[in-house]
Coordinates of all heavy atoms in Angstrom, one line a residue:
R1 N 53.7 -1.8 -26.0 CA 55.1 -1.8 -26.0 C 55.7 -2.0 -24.6 O 56.1 -1.1 -23.9 CB 55.6 -0.4 -26.5 CG 56.9 -0.4 -27.1 CD 57.3 1.0 -27.6 NE 57.3 1.0 -29.1 CZ 57.6 2.1 -29.8 NH1 57.8 3.2 -29.2 NH2 57.6 2.0 -31.1
P2 N 55.6 -3.3 -24.2 CA 56.1 -3.7 -22.9 C 57.6 -3.4 -22.7 O 58.4 -3.6 -23.6 CB 55.7 -5.2 -22.7 CG 55.5 -5.7 -24.1 CD 55.2 -4.5 -25.0
S3 N 58.0 -3.0 -21.5 CA 59.4 -2.9 -21.1 C 59.8 -4.1 -20.3 O 59.0 -5.0 -20.1 CB 59.6 -1.6 -20.3 OG 59.2 -1.8 -19.0
Q4 N 61.0 -4.0 -19.8 CA 61.5 -5.1 -18.9 C 61.3 -4.7 -17.4 O 61.7 -5.5 -16.5 CB 63.0 -5.3 -19.1 CG 63.4 -5.7 -20.6 CD 62.7 -7.0 -21.0 OE1 62.7 -8.0 -20.3 NE2 62.0 -7.0 -22.1
V5 N 60.8 -3.5 -17.1 CA 60.7 -3.0 -15.8 C 59.4 -3.5 -15.1 O 58.3 -3.2 -15.6 CB 60.7 -1.5 -15.7 CG1 60.6 -1.0 -14.3 CG2 62.0 -1.0 -16.4
E6 N 59.5 -4.3 -14.1 CA 58.4 -4.9 -13.4 C 57.7 -3.8 -12.5 O 58.3 -3.1 -11.8 CB 58.9 -6.0 -12.4 CG 59.6 -7.2 -13.1 CD 58.6 -8.2 -13.7 OE1 57.5 -8.2 -13.3 OE2 59.1 -9.0 -14.5
I7 N 56.4 -3.8 -12.6 CA 55.6 -2.8 -11.8 C 55.9 -3.1 -10.3 O 56.0 -2.1 -9.5 CB 54.1 -2.9 -12.1 CG1 53.8 -2.5 -13.5 CG2 53.3 -2.1 -11.1 CD1 52.4 -2.7 -14.0
R8 N 56.0 -4.3 -9.9 CA 56.2 -4.6 -8.5 C 57.5 -4.0 -7.9 O 57.6 -3.8 -6.7 CB 56.1 -6.1 -8.2 CG 57.3 -6.9 -8.7 CD 57.2 -8.3 -8.2 NE 58.2 -9.1 -8.9 CZ 57.9 -9.9 -9.9 NH1 56.7 -10.0 -10.4 NH2 58.9 -10.5 -10.6
D9 N 58.4 -3.8 -8.8 CA 59.7 -3.2 -8.3 C 59.6 -1.7 -8.1 O 60.5 -1.2 -7.4 CB 60.8 -3.5 -9.4 CG 61.1 -5.0 -9.5 OD1 60.8 -5.8 -8.5 OD2 61.7 -5.4 -10.5
V10 N 58.7 -1.1 -8.7 CA 58.6 0.4 -8.7 C 57.3 0.9 -7.9 O 57.4 1.8 -7.1 CB 58.6 1.0 -10.1 CG1 58.6 2.5 -10.0 CG2 59.8 0.5 -10.9
L11 N 56.2 0.2 -8.2 CA 54.9 0.6 -7.6 C 54.3 -0.7 -7.1 O 53.3 -1.2 -7.6 CB 54.0 1.2 -8.7 CG 54.5 2.5 -9.3 CD1 53.7 2.8 -10.5 CD2 54.4 3.7 -8.3
P12 N 54.9 -1.3 -6.0 CA 54.4 -2.6 -5.5 C 52.9 -2.7 -5.2 O 52.4 -3.8 -5.5 CB 55.3 -2.9 -4.3 CG 55.9 -1.5 -3.9 CD 55.9 -0.7 -5.1
G13 N 52.3 -1.7 -4.7 CA 50.9 -1.7 -4.4 C 50.0 -1.9 -5.6 O 48.9 -2.4 -5.5
W14 N 50.5 -1.6 -6.8 CA 49.6 -1.6 -8.0 C 49.7 -2.8 -8.8 O 48.9 -3.1 -9.7 CB 50.0 -0.4 -8.9 CG 49.6 0.9 -8.2 CD1 50.4 1.8 -7.5 CD2 48.3 1.5 -8.1 NE1 49.7 2.8 -7.0 CE2 48.4 2.7 -7.4 CE3 47.1 1.1 -8.7 CZ2 47.3 3.5 -7.1 CZ3 46.0 1.9 -8.4 CH2 46.1 3.1 -7.6
C15 N 50.7 -3.7 -8.5 CA 50.9 -4.9 -9.4 C 49.7 -5.8 -9.4 O 49.5 -6.5 -10.4 CB 52.2 -5.5 -9.2 SG 52.5 -6.2 -7.5
A16 N 49.0 -5.9 -8.2 CA 47.9 -6.8 -8.2 C 46.8 -6.4 -9.1 O 46.0 -7.3 -9.5 CB 47.4 -6.9 -6.7
L17 N 46.7 -5.2 -9.4 CA 45.6 -4.7 -10.3 C 46.0 -4.7 -11.8 O 45.2 -4.5 -12.7 CB 45.1 -3.3 -9.9 CG 44.5 -3.2 -8.5 CD1 44.3 -1.7 -8.1 CD2 43.2 -3.9 -8.4
A18 N 47.3 -4.8 -12.0 CA 47.8 -4.7 -13.4 C 47.5 -6.0 -14.2 O 47.5 -7.1 -13.6 CB 49.3 -4.5 -13.4
V19 N 47.2 -5.9 -15.5 CA 47.0 -7.0 -16.3 C 48.4 -7.5 -16.8 O 49.4 -6.8 -16.8 CB 46.1 -6.7 -17.5 CG1 44.7 -6.4 -17.0 CG2 46.6 -5.6 -18.4
E20 N 48.4 -8.8 -17.3 CA 49.7 -9.4 -17.8 C 50.1 -8.6 -19.1 O 49.2 -8.3 -19.8 CB 49.4 -10.8 -18.1 CG 49.2 -11.7 -16.9 CD 50.5 -12.1 -16.2 OE1 51.5 -12.1 -16.8 OE2 50.4 -12.3 -15.0
P21 N 51.3 -8.5 -19.4 CA 52.4 -8.7 -18.5 C 52.5 -7.5 -17.5 O 52.2 -6.4 -17.8 CB 53.6 -8.7 -19.4 CG 53.2 -7.9 -20.5 CD 51.8 -8.1 -20.7
E22 N 52.8 -7.8 -16.2 CA 52.8 -6.8 -15.2 C 54.1 -6.0 -15.2 O 54.9 -6.0 -14.2 CB 52.6 -7.5 -13.8 CG 51.2 -8.2 -13.7 CD 51.1 -9.1 -12.6 OE1 52.1 -9.3 -11.8 OE2 50.0 -9.8 -12.5
V23 N 54.3 -5.3 -16.3 CA 55.5 -4.5 -16.5 C 55.1 -3.1 -17.0 O 53.9 -2.9 -17.4 CB 56.5 -5.1 -17.6 CG1 57.0 -6.4 -17.1 CG2 55.8 -5.2 -18.9
F24 N 56.0 -2.2 -16.8 CA 55.7 -0.8 -17.4 C 55.7 -1.0 -18.9 O 56.4 -1.8 -19.5 CB 56.8 0.1 -17.0 CG 56.7 0.8 -15.7 CD1 57.0 0.0 -14.5 CD2 56.2 2.0 -15.5 CE1 56.9 0.6 -13.3 CE2 56.0 2.6 -14.2 CZ 56.4 1.9 -13.1
H25 N 54.8 -0.2 -19.6 CA 54.8 -0.1 -21.0 C 55.4 1.2 -21.4 O 55.3 2.2 -20.7 CB 53.4 -0.3 -21.5 CG 52.9 -1.7 -21.6 ND1 52.9 -2.5 -20.5 CD2 52.6 -2.5 -22.7 CE1 52.4 -3.7 -20.9 NE2 52.3 -3.7 -22.2
V26 N 56.1 1.2 -22.5 CA 56.8 2.4 -23.0 C 55.7 3.3 -23.6 O 55.3 3.0 -24.8 CB 57.9 2.1 -23.9 CG1 58.6 3.4 -24.4 CG2 59.0 1.2 -23.3
G27 N 55.3 4.3 -22.9 CA 54.2 5.1 -23.4 C 54.6 6.2 -24.5 O 53.7 6.7 -25.2
G28 N 55.8 6.4 -24.6 CA 56.3 7.4 -25.6 C 57.6 8.0 -25.2 O 58.1 7.8 -24.1
P29 N 58.1 8.9 -26.0 CA 59.4 9.5 -25.8 C 59.5 10.7 -24.8 O 60.6 11.1 -24.4 CB 59.9 9.9 -27.2 CG 58.6 10.2 -27.9 CD 57.6 9.3 -27.3
C30 N 58.3 11.2 -24.4 CA 58.3 12.4 -23.6 C 58.3 12.0 -22.1 O 57.5 11.1 -21.7 CB 57.1 13.2 -23.9 SG 56.9 13.8 -25.6
E31 N 59.1 12.6 -21.3 CA 59.1 12.4 -19.8 C 59.1 10.9 -19.4 O 58.2 10.5 -18.7 CB 58.0 13.2 -19.2 CG 58.1 14.7 -19.3 CD 57.1 15.5 -18.6 OE1 56.8 15.1 -17.4 OE2 56.7 16.5 -19.1
T32 N 60.1 10.2 -19.9 CA 60.1 8.7 -19.7 C 60.2 8.3 -18.2 O 60.0 7.2 -17.9 CB 61.2 8.1 -20.5 OG1 62.4 8.7 -20.2 CG2 60.9 8.2 -22.0
D33 N 60.6 9.3 -17.4 CA 60.6 9.0 -15.9 C 59.3 9.2 -15.2 O 59.2 9.1 -14.0 CB 61.8 9.8 -15.3 CG 61.6 11.3 -15.5 OD1 60.8 11.7 -16.3 OD2 62.4 12.0 -14.8
T34 N 58.3 9.6 -16.0 CA 56.9 9.8 -15.5 C 56.1 8.6 -15.7 O 56.1 8.0 -16.8 CB 56.3 11.0 -16.2 OG1 57.1 12.2 -16.1 CG2 54.9 11.3 -15.7
A35 N 55.3 8.2 -14.7 CA 54.4 7.0 -14.8 C 53.0 7.5 -15.0 O 52.5 8.4 -14.2 CB 54.5 6.2 -13.6
L36 N 52.3 7.0 -16.0 CA 50.9 7.3 -16.2 C 50.2 5.9 -16.1 O 50.7 4.9 -16.6 CB 50.7 7.8 -17.7 CG 51.0 9.2 -18.0 CD1 50.9 9.5 -19.4 CD2 50.1 10.2 -17.2
C37 N 49.1 5.9 -15.5 CA 48.3 4.7 -15.3 C 46.9 4.8 -15.9 O 46.2 5.7 -15.6 CB 48.2 4.4 -13.8 SG 47.3 2.9 -13.5
L38 N 46.6 3.9 -16.8 CA 45.3 3.8 -17.4 C 44.6 2.6 -16.9 O 45.2 1.5 -16.8 CB 45.3 3.7 -18.9 CG 45.7 5.0 -19.6 CD1 45.8 4.8 -21.1 CD2 44.8 6.1 -19.3
A39 N 43.3 2.7 -16.5 CA 42.5 1.6 -16.0 C 41.2 1.5 -16.7 O 40.7 2.5 -17.2 CB 42.3 1.7 -14.5
V40 N 40.6 0.3 -16.7 CA 39.3 0.1 -17.3 C 38.4 -0.2 -16.1 O 38.7 -1.1 -15.3 CB 39.4 -1.0 -18.3 CG1 37.9 -1.3 -18.8 CG2 40.3 -0.6 -19.5

């Protein structure tokens, strides 16, 4: 569930490691101002 918010605009150091599209994904309705990062 991709959003329109670019990772580079909020967490610039992390955008190089993000997969396309390099945007925040809407993880759910709880604490939407909290960022969670999952990596493989």
Side-chain angles (χ1 to χ4, degrees):
R1 203 178 252 179
S3 76
Q4 301 299 311
V5 181
E6 301 275 344
I7 292 172
R8 71 170 168 262
D9 293 342
V10 183
L11 298 165
W14 292 97
C15 62
L17 295 171
V19 294
E20 293 280 335
E22 294 165 4
V23 296
F24 278 80
H25 279 60
V26 180
C30 304
E31 296 187 37
T32 54
D33 55 348
T34 302
L36 284 172
C37 180
L38 287 179
V40 174

